């Protein structure tokens, strides 16, 4: 019996309990999946309130983690909340015994408190990466991935990234066929394309204050499909290319060429999200020229193809 233990601390997120419960806590032996055993482990086997809703009844105390095959640290509503000394001890004991440790979302902070991320690749929700870097300065943070796997220590990116990690663990330990059958039962892809960078909110610089630069930006945004380059932008602003380059960089924090490419890719993403236009037409309307160029730039920026991006983000 493959046994998974959840290390549940005060403030644990409801979703982070539901994910491993769905993967390892549901009887699917009728589909030749499992059997698995799931343990809910709290300090003193006390019941806990989850965040934002629900109460949890424990099946084991922390000692129940020490003969599991896998121990998971779910995310908490406050990733900076203190980790009890008893939890740190049991994580270190489990790690020393060769038990695989994994974290979901902000659960990486729990593993960091136990010191098991030092020298290893790790990730968490993109909004928490800077804080995790302070908490675990010796970890090698991977900001773009959905999860990391360093053999006996694994971490996942934010929220739904935990599903990707759990399915990866099933695939790793039981094979691709069983993981695919489980994903089908859960009505989700067995593996998602790209990483969490495609979900990060990184807006471009707003309209600059300078009248010449600001009006040029407005003008260019209406003409992205045209063969615009730095010479055309400089001419529109009434400056030499050198002067325009210097003024634009001072006003926006980026160069005119990089801004223009980022604007075109932003507009292409918007078209993929909100229209059914063919990829070639999206490339033309955004000024990226060809479908091949759009694919190349989107993959370089986000690690996904236009088709994969559209499947994930389309809202129409």
């Amino acid at each position: 019996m493959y046994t998974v233990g959840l290390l549940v601390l005060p403030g644990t997120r409801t979703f982070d309990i539901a994910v491993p419960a769905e993967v390892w806590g549901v009887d699917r032996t009728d589909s030749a999946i499992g059997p698995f055993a799931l343990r809910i482990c709290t300090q003193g086997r006390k019941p806990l309130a989850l965040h934002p809703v629900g109460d949890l009844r424990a099946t084991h105390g922390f000692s129940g983690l020490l003969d599991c095959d896998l121990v998971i640290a779910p995310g908490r509503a406050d990733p900076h909340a203190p980790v009890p000394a008893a939890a740190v001890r049991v994580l270190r004991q489990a790690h020393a015994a060769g038990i695989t440790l994994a974290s979901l979302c902000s659960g990486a902070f729990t593993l960091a408190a136990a010191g098991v991320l030092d020298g290893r690749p790790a990730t968490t929700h993109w909004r928490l990466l800077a804080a995790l870097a302070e908490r675990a300065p010796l970890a090698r943070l991977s900001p773009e991935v959905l999860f990391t796997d360093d053999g006996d220590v694994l971490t996942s990116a934010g929220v739904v990234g935990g599903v990707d990690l759990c399915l990866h663990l099933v695939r790793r330990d039981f094979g691709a066929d069983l993981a695919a059958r489980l994903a089908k039962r859960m009505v989700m892809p067995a593996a998602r394309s790209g990483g969490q960078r495609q979900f990060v909110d990184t807006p471009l610089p707003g309209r600059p204050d300078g009248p010449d630069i600001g009006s040029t930006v407005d003008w260019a945004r209406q003409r992205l499909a045209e063969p615009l380059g730095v010479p055309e932008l400089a001419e529109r602003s009434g400056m030499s290319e050198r002067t325009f380059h210097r003024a634009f960089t001072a006003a926006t924090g980026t160069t005119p060429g990089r801004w223009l490419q980022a604007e075109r890719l932003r507009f292409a993403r918007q078209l993929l999200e909100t229209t059914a236009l063919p990829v070639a037409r999206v490339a033309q309307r955004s000024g990226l020229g060809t479908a091949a160029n759009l694919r190349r730039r989107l993959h370089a920026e986000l690690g996904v193809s236009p088709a994969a991006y559209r499947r994930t983000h389309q809202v129409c």
Side-chain angles (χ1 to χ4, degrees):
M1 178 80 70
Y2 185 86
T3 304
V4 178
L6 300 185
L7 172 64
V8 185
L9 302 176
T12 291
R13 292 177 53 84
T14 309
F15 187 85
D16 286 17
I17 294 295
V19 169
E22 182 66 28
V23 173
W24 288 289
V26 177
D27 183 1
R28 295 189 175 95
T29 51
D30 60 331
S31 297
I33 299 171
F36 304 129
L38 184 68
R39 296 179 179 178
I40 309 298
C41 303
T42 66
Q43 189 168 9
R45 199 175 174 178
K46 296 178 181 178
L48 284 177
L50 300 178
H51 178 87
V53 294
D55 297 311
L56 194 66
R57 180 183 299 175
T59 63
H60 294 74
F62 281 170
S63 62
L65 298 169
L66 294 176
D67 59 347
C68 290
D69 298 287
L70 168 67
V71 169
I72 295 178
R76 304 169 74 188
D78 179 6
H80 305 291
V83 177
V88 170
R89 284 196 300 271
V90 76
L91 283 172
R92 290 175 175 171
Q93 289 172 343
H95 183 56
I99 297 171
T100 299
L101 305 181
S103 65
L104 307 184
C105 193
S106 61
F109 287 77
T110 303
L111 296 189
V116 299
L117 297 185
D118 292 351
R120 297 178 181 271
T123 195
T124 187
H125 191 287
W126 56 269
R127 295 186 64 182
L128 300 174
L129 283 163
L132 183 60
E134 294 182 2
R135 188 67 58 86
L138 299 181
R140 304 196 309 272
L141 296 189
S142 301
E144 299 179 1
V145 299
L146 291 172
F147 58 84
T148 63
D149 181 347
D150 196 42
D152 58 345
V153 176
L154 301 91
T155 63
S156 83
V159 193
V160 183
V163 182
D164 297 278
L165 175 60
C166 289
L167 283 175
H168 167 74
L169 280 162
V170 173
R171 186 183 310 109
R172 188 186 80 167
D173 294 341
F174 297 96
D177 180 65
L178 190 146
R181 281 186 278 121
L182 176 57
K184 186 175 181 180
R185 285 286 299 267
M186 295 173 61
V187 195
M188 68 167 293
R192 285 194 292 164
S193 301
Q196 66 171 329
R197 187 174 180 181
Q198 61 187 302
F199 303 97
V200 176
D201 182 15
T202 52
L204 292 167
R207 187 183 189 276
D209 293 332
D212 295 330
I213 300 297
S215 61
T216 299
V217 163
D218 292 340
W219 176 82
R221 282 173 170 156
Q222 301 301 316
R223 294 166 174 81
L224 292 174
E226 298 178 13
L228 294 179
V230 176
E232 289 76 22
L233 297 179
E235 182 180 358
R236 176 66 175 72
S237 70
M239 304 179 192
S240 69
E241 287 188 39
R242 179 176 295 180
T243 301
F244 176 75
H245 192 283
R246 184 168 57 250
F248 189 97
T249 302
T252 66
T254 189
T255 66
R258 289 175 181 169
W259 176 87
L260 190 57
Q261 287 300 322
E263 275 288 345
R264 283 173 164 153
L265 190 58
R266 176 199 60 79
F267 186 47
R269 292 171 65 178
Q270 180 182 331
L271 292 174
L272 290 170
E273 293 169 8
T274 60
T275 76
L277 289 172
V279 172
R281 183 62 179 143
V282 169
Q284 292 168 0
R285 286 190 56 180
S286 62
L288 292 173
T290 65
N293 189 43
L294 171 56
R295 291 189 187 96
R296 181 168 58 253
R297 291 192 176 277
L298 194 64
H299 192 275
E301 181 70 17
L302 304 179
V304 295
S305 68
Y309 183 87
R310 172 171 271 164
R311 283 194 301 270
T312 301
H313 298 275
Q314 192 167 48
V315 297
C316 65

